Amino acid sequence: MEDRFLTAQDAAAELGVSLATLYAYASRGMLRSEPVPGDPRARRYPWKDVLRLKDKKELRKDPEKAAPKALSWGAPVLESAITLVQDGKLYYRGRNAVELARSASVEEVAALIWTGDPADAERLFQEQPPILPSWMAPLFGPELSPVERCQVALPLAGALDLAGWDLRPAAIPATGARILRFLAGTAAGRPASGSIAATLQEGWAADRPEAAGPIGSALILAADHELNVSAFTARCVASAGSSPYDVVIAGLAALKGARHGGHTERVGAIFREAKSAAGARQALADRLRRGEEIPGFGQTLYPGGDPRGAALLDLAAGIAPGSPALDCARALVEAAWELIREHPTIDFGLVTLSHALGLPERTPLALFALGRTIGWIGHAIEEYGQGRLIRPRAAYVGEMPEGA
């Protein structure tokens, strides 16, 4: 399996098919192949692609055996036209997400994901979001994080926005725009005004107007990532016919978990343990000695490095080149590669950028949540169009009834 490729013979053997069938798979686009360096007449096959195709074949032949694998980085379980992860890159509707983060606005990327056309942004984001009653203001004290404020406020906003129950295809993107604007204002602690990125910058870094650009780029990089746990949760809720507000409420609950977006809190802990660049290597080594994982490094879908994490580190370097937080982040990246041979993830990048910009505590998760709201709405739009209820079966392994 040199260089993570299989020969044609090995790939055919792994799949249990003849060479002719293997070549047919490749010609139909079911399996990628490329010329073997030094021998252009021979082809080689990425071993991960071969394993994915093998999983698909097993799923068709024996669903009960193959289905559990699909729940954890396994074979695809449903179709989506939103996000593609391929060859170490991330694409939204066929467009490179890192390039979009450099050139497009949050609103344009939202429109791209929701309707397929970035030009729809101006039309979608012209409506005002719901306005909460004044008696709710005391509920948003400093003890609540930005995401917790959103979790408190969003159910009432959904109750006030009766148009949110209009699930016709043309209406849902406009509802998504109102939700996103509402969440941005709630997270920023001020009424939404101007763009999403500007609203957050004015609330979190009022004296740094130049922070709006990197904040917007971070939201775009976090917008979607295929069928992660919060996206699948969003699709399940949408399949029940719930409103887009309920979809986002469910997505927030899933994202907040420590194994998903809440991972940013654990990344923040290693920054606190390191304190500075000088303490970075020791902080990671101490974690290894205690038998603990090092959060923020290593992403299964990107063995060569998470492009979102790399892009966020570049943004931090561009906005705050002399920041002690950036120096600490670089030292942590260097130490992590030396100790565990892993690259930084989006979680690490969000924490680094937040520190470099001097944003309030616990904003990395808020950036993640606000960006990912775009994806949740996109998945909901797709699921509403399916007209189905997602209802998998469970394999019963408990005590059998008497006489059964």
Side-chain angles (χ1 to χ4, degrees):
M1 224 180 280
E2 184 178 358
D3 292 331
R4 309 177 82 85
F5 286 93
L6 293 176
T7 65
Q9 290 77 11
D10 289 340
E14 185 71 36
L15 293 168
V17 299
S18 66
L19 285 175
T21 300
L22 179 76
Y23 299 148
Y25 287 162
S27 67
R28 294 200 298 264
M30 298 169 61
L31 187 64
R32 289 184 301 133
S33 69
E34 64 178 50
V36 175
D39 186 1
R41 293 177 299 176
R43 309 290 294 183
R44 63 183 188 177
Y45 301 80
W47 71 273
K48 284 191 174 181
D49 285 14
V50 172
L51 293 183
R52 288 193 188 101
L53 183 55
K54 183 179 179 181
D55 282 342
K56 288 182 182 179
K57 287 163 61 69
E58 289 180 358
L59 180 61
R60 286 195 296 268
K61 289 193 290 187
D62 189 353
E64 289 188 7
K65 179 180 177 182
K69 294 182 180 179
L71 294 178
S72 181
W73 304 97
V77 298
L78 52 77
E79 295 180 345
S80 174
I82 297 173
T83 296
L84 172 68
V85 178
Q86 181 173 283
D87 298 329
K89 295 180 181 178
L90 174 67
Y91 301 90
Y92 300 148
R93 297 200 182 275
R95 305 191 188 188
N96 189 294
V98 173
E99 293 178 3
L100 286 171
R102 295 182 182 134
S103 61
S105 69
V106 175
E107 290 80 2
E108 287 171 336
V109 172
L112 171 67
I113 288 176
W114 298 342
T115 73
D117 187 356
D120 285 337
E122 184 175 358
R123 172 180 62 84
L124 294 176
F125 283 87
Q126 65 182 353
E127 296 182 14
Q128 292 299 312
I131 299 176
L132 297 182
S134 58
W135 58 260
M136 283 201 70
L139 300 178
F140 301 107
E143 66 277 3
L144 294 184
S145 71
V147 169
E148 288 167 337
R149 290 200 298 270
C150 291
Q151 288 181 297
V152 170
L154 197 56
L156 183 55
L160 294 173
D161 188 359
L162 297 181
W165 283 104
D166 185 352
L167 301 186
R168 290 177 300 171
I172 301 166
T175 299
R178 294 195 300 276
I179 291 173
L180 190 57
R181 292 196 69 201
F182 176 81
L183 291 178
T186 301
R190 55 176 292 117
S193 61
S195 70
I196 302 295
T199 295
L200 295 173
Q201 173 266 313
E202 290 165 3
W204 292 344
D207 58 342
R208 298 196 66 176
E210 73 277 10
I215 286 173
S217 295
L219 298 182
I220 291 169
L221 292 168
D224 194 55
H225 203 231
E226 204 201 60
L227 200 59
N228 51 77
V229 64
S230 60
F232 187 65
T233 298
R235 293 191 80 114
C236 288
V237 174
S239 80
S242 300
S243 78
Y245 282 88
D246 293 322
V247 167
V248 176
I249 289 167
L252 285 172
L255 184 79
K256 197 175 165 188
R259 292 176 181 167
H260 193 10
H263 202 74
T264 55
E265 300 285 346
R266 300 164 71 188
V267 174
I270 65 171
F271 275 79
R272 292 191 294 272
E273 291 164 14
K275 297 181 181 177
S276 68
R281 190 176 186 279
Q282 188 64 51
L284 299 193
D286 287 345
R287 279 183 168 261
L288 293 177
R289 288 193 186 98
R290 295 193 298 265
E292 299 172 5
E293 69 170 17
I294 295 177
F297 292 90
Q299 221 289 348
T300 302
L301 293 178
Y302 304 108
D306 187 338
R308 303 167 301 170
L312 287 164
L313 290 174
D314 287 344
L315 284 168
I319 196 74
S323 165
L326 181 61
D327 291 340
C328 183
R330 286 171 169 162
L332 286 167
V333 170
E334 183 177 342
W337 179 251
E338 176 189 349
L339 295 172
I340 61 174
R341 286 293 189 269
E342 294 286 4
H343 299 281
T345 64
I346 186 174
D347 310 273
F348 188 88
L350 289 170
V351 173
T352 298
L353 181 64
S354 295
H355 287 352
L357 291 173
L359 302 184
E361 198 73 21
R362 304 176 76 181
T363 50
L365 179 56
L367 288 170
F368 210 153
L370 291 167
R372 191 55 56 88
T373 295
I374 297 171
W376 297 332
I377 297 295
H379 283 283
I381 290 170
E382 285 192 335
E383 202 56 49
Y384 290 135
Q386 294 292 329
R388 66 183 175 190
L389 177 67
I390 296 177
R391 206 305 190 180
R393 295 295 307 280
Y396 181 71
V397 296
E399 183 177 349
M400 295 300 293
E402 293 183 11

PDB file of all heavy atoms in Angstrom, residues 332-364:
ATOM      1  N   LEU A 332       2.827  25.827  19.447  1.00  0.00           N
ATOM      2  CA  LEU A 332       2.005  24.642  19.679  1.00  0.00           C
ATOM      3  C   LEU A 332       1.929  23.785  18.418  1.00  0.00           C
ATOM      4  O   LEU A 332       1.982  22.545  18.503  1.00  0.00           O
ATOM      5  CB  LEU A 332       0.598  25.060  20.110  1.00  0.00           C
ATOM      6  CG  LEU A 332       0.455  25.592  21.536  1.00  0.00           C
ATOM      7  CD1 LEU A 332      -0.901  26.260  21.727  1.00  0.00           C
ATOM      8  CD2 LEU A 332       0.639  24.476  22.556  1.00  0.00           C
ATOM      9  N   VAL A 333       1.806  24.411  17.253  1.00  0.00           N
ATOM     10  CA  VAL A 333       1.769  23.673  15.995  1.00  0.00           C
ATOM     11  C   VAL A 333       3.072  22.915  15.785  1.00  0.00           C
ATOM     12  O   VAL A 333       3.081  21.728  15.415  1.00  0.00           O
ATOM     13  CB  VAL A 333       1.505  24.629  14.812  1.00  0.00           C
ATOM     14  CG1 VAL A 333       1.718  23.920  13.480  1.00  0.00           C
ATOM     15  CG2 VAL A 333       0.085  25.187  14.886  1.00  0.00           C
ATOM     16  N   GLU A 334       4.187  23.594  16.029  1.00  0.00           N
ATOM     17  CA  GLU A 334       5.493  22.958  15.869  1.00  0.00           C
ATOM     18  C   GLU A 334       5.662  21.790  16.839  1.00  0.00           C
ATOM     19  O   GLU A 334       6.128  20.703  16.467  1.00  0.00           O
ATOM     20  CB  GLU A 334       6.597  23.990  16.093  1.00  0.00           C
ATOM     21  CG  GLU A 334       7.999  23.455  15.880  1.00  0.00           C
ATOM     22  CD  GLU A 334       9.062  24.519  16.050  1.00  0.00           C
ATOM     23  OE1 GLU A 334       8.720  25.720  15.996  1.00  0.00           O
ATOM     24  OE2 GLU A 334      10.247  24.158  16.241  1.00  0.00           O
ATOM     25  N   ALA A 335       5.243  21.988  18.086  1.00  0.00           N
ATOM     26  CA  ALA A 335       5.386  20.930  19.087  1.00  0.00           C
ATOM     27  C   ALA A 335       4.471  19.754  18.778  1.00  0.00           C
ATOM     28  O   ALA A 335       4.859  18.589  18.950  1.00  0.00           O
ATOM     29  CB  ALA A 335       5.078  21.490  20.474  1.00  0.00           C
ATOM     30  N   ALA A 336       3.270  20.035  18.310  1.00  0.00           N
ATOM     31  CA  ALA A 336       2.332  18.954  17.992  1.00  0.00           C
ATOM     32  C   ALA A 336       2.861  18.103  16.846  1.00  0.00           C
ATOM     33  O   ALA A 336       2.739  16.867  16.861  1.00  0.00           O
ATOM     34  CB  ALA A 336       0.964  19.529  17.636  1.00  0.00           C
ATOM     35  N   TRP A 337       3.456  18.745  15.859  1.00  0.00           N
ATOM     36  CA  TRP A 337       4.019  17.969  14.753  1.00  0.00           C
ATOM     37  C   TRP A 337       5.200  17.108  15.235  1.00  0.00           C
ATOM     38  O   TRP A 337       5.325  15.939  14.851  1.00  0.00           O
ATOM     39  CB  TRP A 337       4.457  18.888  13.622  1.00  0.00           C
ATOM     40  CG  TRP A 337       5.050  18.118  12.480  1.00  0.00           C
ATOM     41  CD1 TRP A 337       6.351  18.070  12.087  1.00  0.00           C
ATOM     42  CD2 TRP A 337       4.333  17.252  11.588  1.00  0.00           C
ATOM     43  NE1 TRP A 337       6.502  17.230  11.012  1.00  0.00           N
ATOM     44  CE2 TRP A 337       5.276  16.718  10.682  1.00  0.00           C
ATOM     45  CE3 TRP A 337       2.994  16.884  11.473  1.00  0.00           C
ATOM     46  CZ2 TRP A 337       4.916  15.818   9.669  1.00  0.00           C
ATOM     47  CZ3 TRP A 337       2.627  15.990  10.476  1.00  0.00           C
ATOM     48  CH2 TRP A 337       3.589  15.467   9.584  1.00  0.00           C
ATOM     49  N   GLU A 338       6.016  17.676  16.095  1.00  0.00           N
ATOM     50  CA  GLU A 338       7.167  16.933  16.621  1.00  0.00           C
ATOM     51  C   GLU A 338       6.720  15.736  17.470  1.00  0.00           C
ATOM     52  O   GLU A 338       7.292  14.639  17.376  1.00  0.00           O
ATOM     53  CB  GLU A 338       8.040  17.854  17.465  1.00  0.00           C
ATOM     54  CG  GLU A 338       9.216  17.153  18.126  1.00  0.00           C
ATOM     55  CD  GLU A 338       9.935  18.040  19.124  1.00  0.00           C
ATOM     56  OE1 GLU A 338       9.657  19.260  19.151  1.00  0.00           O
ATOM     57  OE2 GLU A 338      10.762  17.517  19.886  1.00  0.00           O
ATOM     58  N   LEU A 339       5.662  15.921  18.268  1.00  0.00           N
ATOM     59  CA  LEU A 339       5.281  14.899  19.241  1.00  0.00           C
ATOM     60  C   LEU A 339       4.284  13.880  18.685  1.00  0.00           C
ATOM     61  O   LEU A 339       4.377  12.685  19.003  1.00  0.00           O
ATOM     62  CB  LEU A 339       4.678  15.562  20.483  1.00  0.00           C
ATOM     63  CG  LEU A 339       5.636  16.442  21.303  1.00  0.00           C
ATOM     64  CD1 LEU A 339       4.875  17.188  22.376  1.00  0.00           C
ATOM     65  CD2 LEU A 339       6.742  15.597  21.921  1.00  0.00           C
ATOM     66  N   ILE A 340       3.307  14.312  17.899  1.00  0.00           N
ATOM     67  CA  ILE A 340       2.262  13.382  17.446  1.00  0.00           C
ATOM     68  C   ILE A 340       2.072  13.370  15.929  1.00  0.00           C
ATOM     69  O   ILE A 340       1.221  12.634  15.428  1.00  0.00           O
ATOM     70  CB  ILE A 340       0.906  13.686  18.116  1.00  0.00           C
ATOM     71  CG1 ILE A 340       0.428  15.098  17.776  1.00  0.00           C
ATOM     72  CG2 ILE A 340       0.999  13.496  19.629  1.00  0.00           C
ATOM     73  CD1 ILE A 340      -0.974  15.406  18.290  1.00  0.00           C
ATOM     74  N   ARG A 341       2.868  14.159  15.206  1.00  0.00           N
ATOM     75  CA  ARG A 341       2.811  14.192  13.752  1.00  0.00           C
ATOM     76  C   ARG A 341       1.400  14.472  13.216  1.00  0.00           C
ATOM     77  O   ARG A 341       0.905  13.809  12.324  1.00  0.00           O
ATOM     78  CB  ARG A 341       3.320  12.866  13.169  1.00  0.00           C
ATOM     79  CG  ARG A 341       4.829  12.687  13.249  1.00  0.00           C
ATOM     80  CD  ARG A 341       5.517  13.715  12.329  1.00  0.00           C
ATOM     81  NE  ARG A 341       6.943  13.483  12.192  1.00  0.00           N
ATOM     82  CZ  ARG A 341       7.904  14.007  12.959  1.00  0.00           C
ATOM     83  NH1 ARG A 341       7.556  14.807  13.967  1.00  0.00           N
ATOM     84  NH2 ARG A 341       9.172  13.777  12.747  1.00  0.00           N
ATOM     85  N   GLU A 342       0.755  15.484  13.793  1.00  0.00           N
ATOM     86  CA  GLU A 342      -0.573  15.883  13.336  1.00  0.00           C
ATOM     87  C   GLU A 342      -0.607  17.379  13.054  1.00  0.00           C
ATOM     88  O   GLU A 342       0.145  18.157  13.646  1.00  0.00           O
ATOM     89  CB  GLU A 342      -1.638  15.550  14.391  1.00  0.00           C
ATOM     90  CG  GLU A 342      -1.841  14.068  14.652  1.00  0.00           C
ATOM     91  CD  GLU A 342      -2.587  13.353  13.539  1.00  0.00           C
ATOM     92  OE1 GLU A 342      -2.889  13.994  12.515  1.00  0.00           O
ATOM     93  OE2 GLU A 342      -2.868  12.148  13.705  1.00  0.00           O
ATOM     94  N   HIS A 343      -1.507  17.765  12.146  1.00  0.00           N
ATOM     95  CA  HIS A 343      -1.656  19.156  11.737  1.00  0.00           C
ATOM     96  C   HIS A 343      -2.825  19.814  12.486  1.00  0.00           C
ATOM     97  O   HIS A 343      -3.733  19.133  12.950  1.00  0.00           O
ATOM     98  CB  HIS A 343      -1.927  19.231  10.233  1.00  0.00           C
ATOM     99  CG  HIS A 343      -0.835  18.677   9.387  1.00  0.00           C
ATOM    100  ND1 HIS A 343       0.328  19.373   9.111  1.00  0.00           N
ATOM    101  CD2 HIS A 343      -0.733  17.480   8.739  1.00  0.00           C
ATOM    102  CE1 HIS A 343       1.102  18.640   8.329  1.00  0.00           C
ATOM    103  NE2 HIS A 343       0.491  17.484   8.093  1.00  0.00           N
ATOM    104  N   PRO A 344      -2.844  21.154  12.574  1.00  0.00           N
ATOM    105  CA  PRO A 344      -3.941  21.846  13.277  1.00  0.00           C
ATOM    106  C   PRO A 344      -5.258  21.753  12.523  1.00  0.00           C
ATOM    107  O   PRO A 344      -5.298  21.754  11.293  1.00  0.00           O
ATOM    108  CB  PRO A 344      -3.448  23.297  13.357  1.00  0.00           C
ATOM    109  CG  PRO A 344      -2.462  23.428  12.239  1.00  0.00           C
ATOM    110  CD  PRO A 344      -1.808  22.087  12.112  1.00  0.00           C
ATOM    111  N   THR A 345      -6.348  21.693  13.274  1.00  0.00           N
ATOM    112  CA  THR A 345      -7.693  21.589  12.720  1.00  0.00           C
ATOM    113  C   THR A 345      -8.377  22.953  12.720  1.00  0.00           C
ATOM    114  O   THR A 345      -7.814  23.958  13.177  1.00  0.00           O
ATOM    115  CB  THR A 345      -8.539  20.625  13.556  1.00  0.00           C
ATOM    116  OG1 THR A 345      -8.696  21.186  14.870  1.00  0.00           O
ATOM    117  CG2 THR A 345      -7.877  19.262  13.661  1.00  0.00           C
ATOM    118  N   ILE A 346      -9.622  22.977  12.269  1.00  0.00           N
ATOM    119  CA  ILE A 346     -10.398  24.214  12.292  1.00  0.00           C
ATOM    120  C   ILE A 346     -10.581  24.713  13.723  1.00  0.00           C
ATOM    121  O   ILE A 346     -10.576  25.925  13.973  1.00  0.00           O
ATOM    122  CB  ILE A 346     -11.761  24.032  11.598  1.00  0.00           C
ATOM    123  CG1 ILE A 346     -12.497  25.379  11.504  1.00  0.00           C
ATOM    124  CG2 ILE A 346     -12.608  22.980  12.295  1.00  0.00           C
ATOM    125  CD1 ILE A 346     -13.785  25.330  10.708  1.00  0.00           C
ATOM    126  N   ASP A 347     -10.722  23.789  14.678  1.00  0.00           N
ATOM    127  CA  ASP A 347     -10.901  24.190  16.082  1.00  0.00           C
ATOM    128  C   ASP A 347      -9.703  25.005  16.556  1.00  0.00           C
ATOM    129  O   ASP A 347      -9.851  26.059  17.184  1.00  0.00           O
ATOM    130  CB  ASP A 347     -11.065  22.955  16.972  1.00  0.00           C
ATOM    131  CG  ASP A 347     -12.111  22.006  16.436  1.00  0.00           C
ATOM    132  OD1 ASP A 347     -13.293  22.191  16.756  1.00  0.00           O
ATOM    133  OD2 ASP A 347     -11.742  21.086  15.684  1.00  0.00           O
ATOM    134  N   PHE A 348      -8.515  24.511  16.259  1.00  0.00           N
ATOM    135  CA  PHE A 348      -7.293  25.231  16.646  1.00  0.00           C
ATOM    136  C   PHE A 348      -7.218  26.578  15.931  1.00  0.00           C
ATOM    137  O   PHE A 348      -6.847  27.591  16.529  1.00  0.00           O
ATOM    138  CB  PHE A 348      -6.066  24.386  16.309  1.00  0.00           C
ATOM    139  CG  PHE A 348      -4.773  24.956  16.832  1.00  0.00           C
ATOM    140  CD1 PHE A 348      -4.329  24.635  18.107  1.00  0.00           C
ATOM    141  CD2 PHE A 348      -4.002  25.815  16.063  1.00  0.00           C
ATOM    142  CE1 PHE A 348      -3.140  25.171  18.602  1.00  0.00           C
ATOM    143  CE2 PHE A 348      -2.815  26.356  16.544  1.00  0.00           C
ATOM    144  CZ  PHE A 348      -2.391  26.023  17.822  1.00  0.00           C
ATOM    145  N   GLY A 349      -7.591  26.591  14.665  1.00  0.00           N
ATOM    146  CA  GLY A 349      -7.552  27.838  13.909  1.00  0.00           C
ATOM    147  C   GLY A 349      -8.511  28.886  14.440  1.00  0.00           C
ATOM    148  O   GLY A 349      -8.171  30.075  14.516  1.00  0.00           O
ATOM    149  N   LEU A 350      -9.714  28.462  14.831  1.00  0.00           N
ATOM    150  CA  LEU A 350     -10.688  29.412  15.372  1.00  0.00           C
ATOM    151  C   LEU A 350     -10.212  30.006  16.690  1.00  0.00           C
ATOM    152  O   LEU A 350     -10.380  31.212  16.937  1.00  0.00           O
ATOM    153  CB  LEU A 350     -12.042  28.714  15.570  1.00  0.00           C
ATOM    154  CG  LEU A 350     -12.814  28.360  14.303  1.00  0.00           C
ATOM    155  CD1 LEU A 350     -14.003  27.463  14.630  1.00  0.00           C
ATOM    156  CD2 LEU A 350     -13.277  29.617  13.578  1.00  0.00           C
ATOM    157  N   VAL A 351      -9.618  29.193  17.535  1.00  0.00           N
ATOM    158  CA  VAL A 351      -9.109  29.700  18.813  1.00  0.00           C
ATOM    159  C   VAL A 351      -7.952  30.657  18.572  1.00  0.00           C
ATOM    160  O   VAL A 351      -7.866  31.732  19.176  1.00  0.00           O
ATOM    161  CB  VAL A 351      -8.671  28.529  19.723  1.00  0.00           C
ATOM    162  CG1 VAL A 351      -7.992  29.058  20.982  1.00  0.00           C
ATOM    163  CG2 VAL A 351      -9.883  27.676  20.105  1.00  0.00           C
ATOM    164  N   THR A 352      -7.042  30.295  17.666  1.00  0.00           N
ATOM    165  CA  THR A 352      -5.901  31.161  17.362  1.00  0.00           C
ATOM    166  C   THR A 352      -6.364  32.513  16.837  1.00  0.00           C
ATOM    167  O   THR A 352      -5.893  33.570  17.287  1.00  0.00           O
ATOM    168  CB  THR A 352      -4.987  30.488  16.326  1.00  0.00           C
ATOM    169  OG1 THR A 352      -4.477  29.262  16.862  1.00  0.00           O
ATOM    170  CG2 THR A 352      -3.816  31.394  15.970  1.00  0.00           C
ATOM    171  N   LEU A 353      -7.292  32.503  15.882  1.00  0.00           N
ATOM    172  CA  LEU A 353      -7.764  33.767  15.308  1.00  0.00           C
ATOM    173  C   LEU A 353      -8.463  34.607  16.369  1.00  0.00           C
ATOM    174  O   LEU A 353      -8.261  35.826  16.431  1.00  0.00           O
ATOM    175  CB  LEU A 353      -8.709  33.483  14.144  1.00  0.00           C
ATOM    176  CG  LEU A 353      -9.260  34.721  13.434  1.00  0.00           C
ATOM    177  CD1 LEU A 353      -8.150  35.518  12.775  1.00  0.00           C
ATOM    178  CD2 LEU A 353     -10.312  34.323  12.384  1.00  0.00           C
ATOM    179  N   SER A 354      -9.273  33.984  17.197  1.00  0.00           N
ATOM    180  CA  SER A 354      -9.977  34.736  18.244  1.00  0.00           C
ATOM    181  C   SER A 354      -9.001  35.395  19.196  1.00  0.00           C
ATOM    182  O   SER A 354      -9.168  36.563  19.579  1.00  0.00           O
ATOM    183  CB  SER A 354     -10.906  33.797  19.022  1.00  0.00           C
ATOM    184  OG  SER A 354     -11.934  33.313  18.194  1.00  0.00           O
ATOM    185  N   HIS A 355      -7.965  34.660  19.596  1.00  0.00           N
ATOM    186  CA  HIS A 355      -6.953  35.238  20.488  1.00  0.00           C
ATOM    187  C   HIS A 355      -6.185  36.359  19.795  1.00  0.00           C
ATOM    188  O   HIS A 355      -5.894  37.400  20.401  1.00  0.00           O
ATOM    189  CB  HIS A 355      -5.980  34.151  20.950  1.00  0.00           C
ATOM    190  CG  HIS A 355      -6.560  33.201  21.956  1.00  0.00           C
ATOM    191  ND1 HIS A 355      -7.788  33.377  22.541  1.00  0.00           N
ATOM    192  CD2 HIS A 355      -6.056  32.052  22.498  1.00  0.00           C
ATOM    193  CE1 HIS A 355      -8.032  32.408  23.390  1.00  0.00           C
ATOM    194  NE2 HIS A 355      -6.996  31.572  23.373  1.00  0.00           N
ATOM    195  N   ALA A 356      -5.825  36.139  18.530  1.00  0.00           N
ATOM    196  CA  ALA A 356      -5.050  37.148  17.807  1.00  0.00           C
ATOM    197  C   ALA A 356      -5.842  38.437  17.640  1.00  0.00           C
ATOM    198  O   ALA A 356      -5.277  39.540  17.667  1.00  0.00           O
ATOM    199  CB  ALA A 356      -4.633  36.601  16.439  1.00  0.00           C
ATOM    200  N   LEU A 357      -7.173  38.325  17.475  1.00  0.00           N
ATOM    201  CA  LEU A 357      -8.022  39.510  17.327  1.00  0.00           C
ATOM    202  C   LEU A 357      -8.413  40.116  18.671  1.00  0.00           C
ATOM    203  O   LEU A 357      -9.013  41.190  18.715  1.00  0.00           O
ATOM    204  CB  LEU A 357      -9.296  39.144  16.555  1.00  0.00           C
ATOM    205  CG  LEU A 357      -9.127  38.794  15.079  1.00  0.00           C
ATOM    206  CD1 LEU A 357     -10.452  38.297  14.505  1.00  0.00           C
ATOM    207  CD2 LEU A 357      -8.621  39.994  14.287  1.00  0.00           C
ATOM    208  N   GLY A 358      -8.120  39.427  19.758  1.00  0.00           N
ATOM    209  CA  GLY A 358      -8.512  39.923  21.072  1.00  0.00           C
ATOM    210  C   GLY A 358     -10.005  39.866  21.304  1.00  0.00           C
ATOM    211  O   GLY A 358     -10.570  40.719  22.003  1.00  0.00           O
ATOM    212  N   LEU A 359     -10.679  38.873  20.726  1.00  0.00           N
ATOM    213  CA  LEU A 359     -12.133  38.749  20.876  1.00  0.00           C
ATOM    214  C   LEU A 359     -12.479  38.254  22.272  1.00  0.00           C
ATOM    215  O   LEU A 359     -11.646  37.666  22.955  1.00  0.00           O
ATOM    216  CB  LEU A 359     -12.692  37.787  19.825  1.00  0.00           C
ATOM    217  CG  LEU A 359     -12.426  38.155  18.357  1.00  0.00           C
ATOM    218  CD1 LEU A 359     -13.127  37.160  17.434  1.00  0.00           C
ATOM    219  CD2 LEU A 359     -12.862  39.575  18.045  1.00  0.00           C
ATOM    220  N   PRO A 360     -13.710  38.485  22.720  1.00  0.00           N
ATOM    221  CA  PRO A 360     -14.106  38.054  24.062  1.00  0.00           C
ATOM    222  C   PRO A 360     -13.969  36.544  24.256  1.00  0.00           C
ATOM    223  O   PRO A 360     -13.879  35.773  23.297  1.00  0.00           O
ATOM    224  CB  PRO A 360     -15.576  38.491  24.157  1.00  0.00           C
ATOM    225  CG  PRO A 360     -15.716  39.576  23.148  1.00  0.00           C
ATOM    226  CD  PRO A 360     -14.779  39.226  22.042  1.00  0.00           C
ATOM    227  N   GLU A 361     -13.976  36.138  25.512  1.00  0.00           N
ATOM    228  CA  GLU A 361     -13.881  34.727  25.857  1.00  0.00           C
ATOM    229  C   GLU A 361     -15.033  33.945  25.221  1.00  0.00           C
ATOM    230  O   GLU A 361     -16.151  34.431  25.116  1.00  0.00           O
ATOM    231  CB  GLU A 361     -13.944  34.582  27.382  1.00  0.00           C
ATOM    232  CG  GLU A 361     -13.427  33.257  27.905  1.00  0.00           C
ATOM    233  CD  GLU A 361     -11.918  33.131  27.825  1.00  0.00           C
ATOM    234  OE1 GLU A 361     -11.236  34.166  27.751  1.00  0.00           O
ATOM    235  OE2 GLU A 361     -11.442  31.992  27.818  1.00  0.00           O
ATOM    236  N   ARG A 362     -14.748  32.738  24.776  1.00  0.00           N
ATOM    237  CA  ARG A 362     -15.710  31.776  24.254  1.00  0.00           C
ATOM    238  C   ARG A 362     -16.326  32.187  22.909  1.00  0.00           C
ATOM    239  O   ARG A 362     -17.371  31.694  22.520  1.00  0.00           O
ATOM    240  CB  ARG A 362     -16.816  31.488  25.290  1.00  0.00           C
ATOM    241  CG  ARG A 362     -16.247  30.998  26.614  1.00  0.00           C
ATOM    242  CD  ARG A 362     -17.293  30.794  27.664  1.00  0.00           C
ATOM    243  NE  ARG A 362     -18.043  29.551  27.422  1.00  0.00           N
ATOM    244  CZ  ARG A 362     -19.040  29.142  28.191  1.00  0.00           C
ATOM    245  NH1 ARG A 362     -19.419  29.873  29.226  1.00  0.00           N
ATOM    246  NH2 ARG A 362     -19.664  28.008  27.932  1.00  0.00           N
ATOM    247  N   THR A 363     -15.635  33.075  22.205  1.00  0.00           N
ATOM    248  CA  THR A 363     -16.120  33.406  20.858  1.00  0.00           C
ATOM    249  C   THR A 363     -15.730  32.363  19.801  1.00  0.00           C
ATOM    250  O   THR A 363     -16.398  32.316  18.758  1.00  0.00           O
ATOM    251  CB  THR A 363     -15.639  34.792  20.396  1.00  0.00           C
ATOM    252  OG1 THR A 363     -14.236  34.889  20.586  1.00  0.00           O
ATOM    253  CG2 THR A 363     -16.343  35.886  21.157  1.00  0.00           C
ATOM    254  N   PRO A 364     -14.686  31.537  19.998  1.00  0.00           N
ATOM    255  CA  PRO A 364     -14.409  30.532  18.964  1.00  0.00           C
ATOM    256  C   PRO A 364     -15.615  29.645  18.667  1.00  0.00           C
ATOM    257  O   PRO A 364     -15.927  29.391  17.497  1.00  0.00           O
ATOM    258  CB  PRO A 364     -13.241  29.730  19.551  1.00  0.00           C
ATOM    259  CG  PRO A 364     -12.521  30.708  20.425  1.00  0.00           C
ATOM    260  CD  PRO A 364     -13.616  31.541  21.024  1.00  0.00           C
TER     261      PRO A 364
END
